[in-house]
Amino acid sequence: MSADRSDHPDSGERTDATATPTGADVDAGGRAPASAEERAFTEPVVRDPVSAPDADGVPRRTTRRFPRFTRDTARPEGGGRAAPGDAPAPARQWPMLAVLGLVALGLLVTALDQFRVGTILIGAALLGGAVLRWLLPGVGMLAVRSRFTDIATYGLLGAAIVLLALMAQPKPLLQIPFLKDTLHFTVDG
């Protein structure tokens, strides 16, 4: 890389405002600093437009571009602990453990050759996760996105898995009349 990192517009690093394009540093009077220590004590200034200072008091660039590297992320709404902070770690994450436990039970039942019952348990676990996400203010790691998005995702996936398990062959427990006609129309026609 021939260009200095601080010259890149997305770097967001502080540089001297008086730096010349050739790279020679000059101070406010137009003179080059005598030593490295003197250059280190010159006040750094952000070259680009700035916004309000951050937590350290350093002004930041204003840009509408997403940063190249994410430095911090916000916790999703409801992503707090589901139990007090002095509770052991598994107790603080009980909603997620309940959903994962029911999914594991469904997978075990499916492995024991009860396909329909096992997949209904998996779908019910996701539906239960949607209900927990809706009712509880803090669900720990069960909160991944916004509350609405989590409820919609868990609910739709859980409902789809349950419906598909009920319609599975042989001897489906749920028959949708127009589905067979639609399948014959698309395959035969």
Side-chain angles (χ1 to χ4, degrees):
M1 274 170 56
S2 62
D4 186 20
R5 266 185 72 164
S6 62
D7 290 340
H8 193 275
D10 290 337
S11 68
E13 295 183 21
R14 298 182 304 172
T15 60
D16 281 325
T18 57
T20 61
T22 61
D25 290 337
V26 293
D27 63 5
R31 303 179 320 252
S35 66
E37 290 109 14
E38 191 175 330
R39 274 192 309 242
F41 289 113
T42 59
E43 186 173 334
V45 179
V46 178
R47 290 185 308 182
D48 302 320
V50 294
S51 64
D54 63 3
D56 298 328
V58 178
R60 294 288 181 198
R61 285 183 60 230
T62 57
T63 179
R64 295 185 65 163
R65 289 184 181 179
F66 288 109
R68 185 175 298 168
F69 300 105
T70 303
R71 301 215 193 293
D72 192 15
T73 56
R75 177 182 288 177
E77 173 192 1
R81 295 180 176 132
D86 58 348
R92 291 191 305 252
Q93 299 298 330
W94 72 266
M96 181 65 150
L97 292 175
V99 171
L100 286 177
L102 197 53
V103 167
L105 181 65
L107 290 173
L108 179 66
V109 169
T110 302
L112 296 175
D113 209 20
Q114 293 296 319
F115 170 77
R116 191 180 319 271
V117 175
T119 51
I120 288 174
L121 278 174
I122 293 170
L126 288 173
L127 290 171
V131 169
L132 287 174
R133 186 70 171 102
W134 181 32
L135 295 177
L136 298 177
V139 290
M141 290 190 304
L142 192 61
V144 179
R145 296 159 296 267
S146 70
R147 187 178 302 271
F148 173 79
T149 306
D150 282 343
I151 292 170
T153 304
Y154 295 146
L156 288 174
L157 287 175
I161 290 172
V162 168
L163 287 176
L164 289 172
L166 292 174
M167 295 184 333
Q169 297 289 338
K171 300 178 187 175
L173 300 176
L174 177 66
Q175 292 185 356
I176 300 177
F178 65 86
L179 194 60
K180 189 172 188 178
D181 296 333
T182 306
L183 180 63
H184 286 295
F185 177 73
T186 57
V187 173
D188 292 340

